[in-house]
């Protein structure tokens, strides 16, 4: 059976409406206009109308965006120089800043604010609001943005990328078309830009097929779990910033917390947990709930009301884990490329800058009508020579330093910061899931014994998932492909105790016993699109693919 | 009727849509608080039975618009007819029930007339003679007040279950059924209705059921669903379920209650083996009486239940079924 598909021809197709791609699209419209203005006065050939399209899996632009976030405005200043008067939706400039090392009962303030965490001149932002605002700017500049269209597969001509096929709509659980069936559209483009966010599903396909990671180390990730709290008073001023390390995370679990003051008495609080922990029973959601019971945090939140929940992975491997970012007809930017600076806990400014540098490269390609890697490869050189390249290079050993635990990490990192990253050698790193230790027989964990859900300060996972606003049509094929569920019941249950139930922050995975037979239950409609399962599964048999367009969380104001 | 309330009555093939009676209750209550009258309008062909049924309620009049072009529902036909009815009668407020049909044509109608439409309301109050509508946002977590600033008429639709149809005020003498002259000769109907689509399985509309027995994961096995079916049968109730049951295909998906299923407000909701996760609770919390049966005394379902039985459903349900059968036999 052949499906009749519509084809949409574009010049430049950007997959994912996040800061990287929106910066790329907006900057490109400006560059094309400037190019054509120059061409008109010099009599050279102008580019004419360049059709730029952005596809996005979320129902609304920004709905799948989740970050802390503190923004270093350096690149936004270049993209939209007068952003204050252009209505940039910032929460507040960073004011009071504290870093604590937490112990179970007390806290040690760090005597000196570590230089990478100094945020003077930066802004507390909601990435959801930021992206919605950027999308408005793009649309005003003539960029076409299509929400509810996930990229399902990369279209190739030989090994050249020629576009993306979007996901089918209206397919039922068993794969049969429903009455509202619409096959996906083939969107063709001279240049396809993958800015799909962390662990992008098309990026994964592309990197594998073209072996773009031949020379890079495996990427490593953290998952951030966060809530927004509405407070009755302004005890925590907008722009206030707290970071913590230590408790409740064990010394083999990388990570730390953030507490940011937003506008309108909203507190943004979250915990990042390195996805290279050792104990398979680590549950990032539970760690976050425990964290909130620390007196420092419980006092801060007392009397407040939790209003939103969400989770998202982030790439923290840095410089040595960045794959090749261009090939014929395609570029990779933003979190998909791994451009987040783990040492500074920031990736929005690098994403925006990478988008702008990609736009400069695309302009050259359009002018030369050459979309091969010969032209597009200039992006990687530009990136390396920019301040993004410089800051990522300085932090090149940051996460790697913690590969052998917290103490070794803090010492190595201290030396690294003081010397601008000049450690005697390139520190090795392995994929995070490989650190997971097998359980020994009869071992019982006391890890979360003290964790009680009072549904006031602490919430069970299902309640939190409700507050993510996630929604999927139940009657569609499962978008979490577990390639061999026998492994779950034959091996994983003994070896790791089915850690999918723990690392998933949305109660998607459950091991159930039906009439004495153990089986994996996948509650795909709970999924918040964080990608943790695709990353952390010890057997690497979970493949996350986008569900029907429009499904997923609603991270308004996150 | 200038300044009064116009109520849209929905029918299909001469059968009244029951949610129109819920909208009728909303209209009657707004009318009572603002001291105006309610007039109803029915569109279609061969609709005298529907018009008579509605005329039994407390209304100033019922207008029946009969026209060949309204034989089948089409957005073009309904938009044109309703626009003319509203122009002639000049009401202050036009009320609908929030059905699929209304979702289809009401936005077009109001946009064409340059008026404001407040869809999917769950309540209202009157402040200084002005009607303030209540709408739910964030999956029903927050209620917002909506005041309309533009010139009347204002259009509003009410969510199914927001008002109880059985509370509609009847009238001693039936309201007058009036014909109204609407010229649709110049109207082009651009859609050609196909044969009506019928789901292979009879889709159930649980929103209309007065009694619901819902089952959750506590039932353990598919074979045990029969226990619940027997109870539902004895009570004359519809059977419903929480997500895991439908996800396992132990019951069809159209029986699911909750944030990814249906939202219901029956007179009686019996939750059996359902823990009461918030995702389920949002779909049934406004039921008039909630009975919960669960073996876990800490289960959150007991927080919202009017009556709770802590115990083994495999003992309680059969006992309940036999008692109900006995009582009914007497």
């Amino acid at each position: 059976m052949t499906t009749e598909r519509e084809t949409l021809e574009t010049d430049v197709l950007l997959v994912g409406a996040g800061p990287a791609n929106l910066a790329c699209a907006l900057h490109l419209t400006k560059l094309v206009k400037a190019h054509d203005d120059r061409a008109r006065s010099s009599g050279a050939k102008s580019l004419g109308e360049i059709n730029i399209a952005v596809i996005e899996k979320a129902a609304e632009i920004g709905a799948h965006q989740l970050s802390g976030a503190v923004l270093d405005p350096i690149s936004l200043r270049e993209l939209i120089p007068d952003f204050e008067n252009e209505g940039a939706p910032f929460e507040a400039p960073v004011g009071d800043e504290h870093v604590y090392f937490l112990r179970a009962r007390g806290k040690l303030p760090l005597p000196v604010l570590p230089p990478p965490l100094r945020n003077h001149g930066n802004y507390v932002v909601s990435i959801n609001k930021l992206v919605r605002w950027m999308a408005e700017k793009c649309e005003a500049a003539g960029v076409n943005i299509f929400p509810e269209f996930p990229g399902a597969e990369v279209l190739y001509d030989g090994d050249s990328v020629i576009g993306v096929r979007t996901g089918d709509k209206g397919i039922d659980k068993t794969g049969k078309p429903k009455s509202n069936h619409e096959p996906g559209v083939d969107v063709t483009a001279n240049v396809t830009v993958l800015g799909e966010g962390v662990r992008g599903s098309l990026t994964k396909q592309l990197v594998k097929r073209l072996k773009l990671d031949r020379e890079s180390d495996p990427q490593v990730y953290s998952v951030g779990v966060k809530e927004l709290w509405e407070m009755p008073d302004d005890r925590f001023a907008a722009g206030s910033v707290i970071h913590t390390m230590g408790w409740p995370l064990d010394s083999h679990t990388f990570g730390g917390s953030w507490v940011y003051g937003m506008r309108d008495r909203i507190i943004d609080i979250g915990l990042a947990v390195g996805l290279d922990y050792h104990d398979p029973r680590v549950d990032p959601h539970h760690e976050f709930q425990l964290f909130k019971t620390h007196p420092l945090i419980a006092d801060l939140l007392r009397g407040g009301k939790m209003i939103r929940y969400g989770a998202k992975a982030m790439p923290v491997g840095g410089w040595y884990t960045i794959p090749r970012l261009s090939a014929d007809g395609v570029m990779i930017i933003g979190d998909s490329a791994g451009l987040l600076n783990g040492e500074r806990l920031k990736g929005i400014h690098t994403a925006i800058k990478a988008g702008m540098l990609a736009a400069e490269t695309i302009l050259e390609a359009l002018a030369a009508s050459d979309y091969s890697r010969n032209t597009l490869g200039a992006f990687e050189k530009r990136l390396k020579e920019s301040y993004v390249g410089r800051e990522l290079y300085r932090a090149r050993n940051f996460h790697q330093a913690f590969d052998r635990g917290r103490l070794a990490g803090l010492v190595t990192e201290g030396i690294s910061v003081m010397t601008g990253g000049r450690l005697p050698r390139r520190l090795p790193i392995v994929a995070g899931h490989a650190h997971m230790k097998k359980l020994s027989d009869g071992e019982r964990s006391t890890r979360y014994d003290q964790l009680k859900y009072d549904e006031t300060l602490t919430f069970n996972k299902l309640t939190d998932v409700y507050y993510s606003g996630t929604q999927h049509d139940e009657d569609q094929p499962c978008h979490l492909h577990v390639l061999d569920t026998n492994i779950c019941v034959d091996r994983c249950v003994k070896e790791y105790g089915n850690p999918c139930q723990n690392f998933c922050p949305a109660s998607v995975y459950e091991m159930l016993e039906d009439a004495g037979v153990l089986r994996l239950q996948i509650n795909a409609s709970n999924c918040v699109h964080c990608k943790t399962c695709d990353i952390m599964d010890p057997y690497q048999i979970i493949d996350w693919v986008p569900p029907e367009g429009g499904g997923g969380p609603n991270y308004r104001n996150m | 009727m200038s300044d009064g309330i116009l109520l849209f009555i929905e029918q299909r093939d001469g059968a009244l849509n029951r949610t129109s009676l819920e909208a009728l209750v909303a209209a009657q209550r707004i009318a009572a608080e603002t001291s105006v009258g309610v007039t109803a309008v029915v569109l279609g062909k061969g609709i005298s039975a529907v018009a008579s049924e509605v005329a039994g309620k407390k209304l100033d009049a019922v207008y029946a618009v009969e026209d060949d072009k309204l034989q089948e529902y089409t957005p073009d036909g309904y938009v044109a007819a309703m626009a003319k009815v509203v122009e002639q009668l000049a009401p202050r407020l036009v009320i609908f029930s929030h059905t699929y049909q209304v979702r289809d044509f009401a936005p077009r109608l109001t946009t064409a007339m340059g008026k404001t439409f407040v869809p999917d309301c769950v309540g209202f109050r009157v402040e200084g003679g002005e009607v303030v509508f209540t709408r739910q946002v964030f999956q029903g977590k927050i209620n917002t007040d909506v005041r309309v600033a533009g010139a009347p008429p204002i259009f509003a639709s009410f969510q199914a279950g927001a008002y109880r149809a059985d509370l509609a005020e009847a009238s001693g003498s039936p309201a007058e059924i009036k014909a109204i002259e609407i010229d649709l000769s110049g109207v082009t109907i651009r859609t050609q209705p196909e044969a009506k689509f019928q789901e292979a399985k009879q889709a159930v509309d649980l929103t209309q059921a007065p009694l619901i027995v819902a089952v959750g994961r506590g039932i353990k096995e598919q074979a045990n669903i029969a226990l619940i079916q027997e109870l539902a049968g004895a009570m004359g109730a519809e059977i419903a379920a929480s997500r895991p049951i439908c996800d396992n295909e132990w019951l069809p998906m159209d029986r699911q209650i909750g944030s990814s299923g249906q939202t219901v407000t029956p007179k009686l909701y019996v939750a059996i083996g359902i823990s009461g996760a918030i995702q389920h609770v949002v779909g049934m919390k406004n039921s008039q009486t909630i009975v919960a049966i669960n073996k876990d005394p800490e289960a959150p379902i007991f927080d919202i239940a009017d009556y709770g039985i802590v115990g083994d459903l495999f003992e309680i349900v059969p006992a309940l079924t036999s008692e109900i059968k006995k009582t009914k036999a007497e």
Side-chain angles (χ1 to χ4, degrees), chain A residues 173 179 305 307-308 462-463 465-467 469-472 474-475 510 512 514-515 519 521-525 556, chain B residues 138-141 197 217 220-221 243-244 246-250 253 256 259-261 275 277-279 282 285 300:
Chain A
K173 261 186 169 179
S179 57
K305 194 162 165 264
I307 54 169
R308 274 249 170 265
L462 262 184
T463 303
V465 170
Y466 178 75
Y467 285 90
T470 197
Q471 289 259 330
H472 294 85
E474 297 273 3
D475 193 12
E510 279 181 290
L512 292 181
D514 281 344
R519 69 174 177 91
Q521 159 82 18
I522 304 176
N523 302 304
S525 54
R556 203 155 175 94
Chain B
F138 292 116
Q139 289 188 285
K141 239 168 52 59
F197 175 76
R217 199 174 256 173
K220 291 200 177 105
E221 284 177 41
R243 207 190 72 87
C246 298
D247 193 56
N248 284 350
E249 296 174 12
W250 294 356
M253 222 175 267
Q256 186 176 320
S259 58
S260 54
S275 65
I278 188 164
Q279 287 82 349
V282 292
K285 65 177 177 208

Side-chain angles (χ1 to χ4, degrees), chain A residues 463-491:
Chain A
T463 303
D464 258 335
V465 170
Y466 178 75
Y467 285 90
S468 72
T470 197
Q471 289 259 330
H472 294 85
D473 189 330
E474 297 273 3
D475 193 12
Q476 63 172 305
C478 181
H479 73 277
L480 299 147
H481 298 173
V482 179
L483 308 177
D484 181 358
T485 49
N486 289 332
I487 290 185
C488 311
V489 289
D490 294 342
R491 287 182 60 194

Side-chain angles (χ1 to χ4, degrees), chain B:
Chain B
M1 76 156 297
S2 204
D3 276 359
I5 298 173
L6 180 65
L7 169 73
F8 172 79
I9 298 290
E10 183 172 323
Q11 60 85 28
R12 189 158 131 177
D13 300 334
L16 173 70
N17 184 314
R18 311 305 300 178
T19 57
S20 289
L21 297 179
E22 298 177 7
L24 173 80
V25 176
Q28 284 179 335
R29 294 194 180 171
I30 297 172
E33 289 196 39
T34 54
S35 313
V36 296
V38 183
T39 308
V41 59
V42 195
L43 310 183
K45 182 78 188 160
I47 49 176
S48 53
V50 173
S52 312
E53 183 178 354
V54 177
K57 305 296 176 194
K58 191 182 162 203
L59 289 166
D60 284 357
V62 178
Y63 287 94
V65 182
E66 298 249 6
D67 195 294
D68 287 343
K69 284 191 172 160
L70 301 173
Q71 170 94 44
E72 295 274 0
Y73 165 77
T74 59
D76 284 337
Y78 270 50
V79 166
M82 275 304 281
K84 287 174 198 279
V85 170
V86 170
E87 271 163 27
Q88 278 198 28
L89 300 178
R92 190 174 179 74
L93 191 58
V94 184
I95 302 279
F96 305 89
S97 56
H98 195 67
T99 60
Y100 287 113
Q101 199 180 84
V102 168
R103 276 175 233 200
D104 189 47
F105 82 85
R108 296 184 200 212
L109 170 68
T110 49
T111 306
M113 298 185 76
K115 297 297 175 191
T116 306
F117 180 39
V118 190
D120 211 13
C121 301
V122 295
F124 78 92
R125 62 175 195 278
V126 174
E127 269 181 22
E130 186 193 7
V131 180
V132 180
F133 297 98
T134 308
R135 298 185 69 234
Q136 293 184 317
V137 293
F138 292 116
Q139 289 188 285
K141 239 168 52 59
I142 297 176
N143 287 345
T144 53
D145 284 346
V146 182
R147 284 184 179 79
V148 178
I154 297 163
F155 294 73
S157 66
F158 283 87
Q159 196 174 82
Y163 290 89
R164 283 168 52 188
D166 60 331
L167 297 181
E169 274 187 74
S171 159
S173 55
E176 189 188 348
I177 299 175
K178 298 181 183 173
I180 181 168
E181 279 308 307
I182 296 289
D183 180 13
L184 296 178
S185 58
V187 176
T188 312
I189 306 288
R190 292 169 297 176
T191 44
Q192 177 69 50
E194 297 274 321
K196 286 195 183 80
F197 175 76
Q198 199 75 45
E199 288 266 9
K201 287 169 286 178
Q202 183 64 45
V204 281
D205 187 2
L206 295 173
T207 59
Q208 310 276 333
L211 307 175
I212 291 178
V213 174
V215 58
R217 199 174 256 173
I219 197 71
K220 291 200 177 105
E221 284 177 41
Q222 185 168 15
N224 299 334
I225 298 279
L227 277 179
I228 308 298
Q229 264 154 348
E230 207 182 332
L231 174 63
M235 289 171 62
E238 287 285 352
I239 191 163
S242 62
R243 207 190 72 87
I245 303 301
C246 298
D247 193 56
N248 284 350
E249 296 174 12
W250 294 356
L251 282 173
M253 222 175 267
D254 54 16
R255 301 263 168 191
Q256 186 176 320
I257 304 294
S259 58
S260 54
Q262 300 194 47
T263 300
V264 296
T265 52
K267 282 185 185 156
L268 175 64
Y269 190 94
V270 185
I272 303 171
I274 291 176
S275 65
I278 188 164
Q279 287 82 349
H280 182 76
V281 167
V282 292
M284 45 67 76
K285 65 177 177 208
N286 291 328
S287 303
Q288 286 167 45
T289 302
I290 297 169
V291 176
I293 303 171
N294 204 298
K295 66 174 195 282
D296 174 12
E298 301 289 318
I301 191 77
F302 289 121
D303 296 342
I304 59 156
D306 299 289
Y307 301 92
I309 306 173
V310 178
D312 182 358
L313 73 91
F314 296 102
E315 287 170 24
I316 296 161
V317 171
L320 204 54
T321 307
S322 84
E323 281 304 313
I324 288 169
K325 280 182 179 165
K326 241 189 277 172
T327 316
K328 285 211 168 174
E330 274 162 17

Side-chain angles (χ1 to χ4, degrees), chain A residues 125-143:
Chain A
V125 300
S126 149
I127 191 175
N128 167 276
K129 291 186 199 171
L130 179 69
V131 160
R132 278 191 276 151
W133 172 73
M134 288 175 76
E136 279 169 27
K137 298 277 174 218
C138 284
E139 286 188 316
V143 175

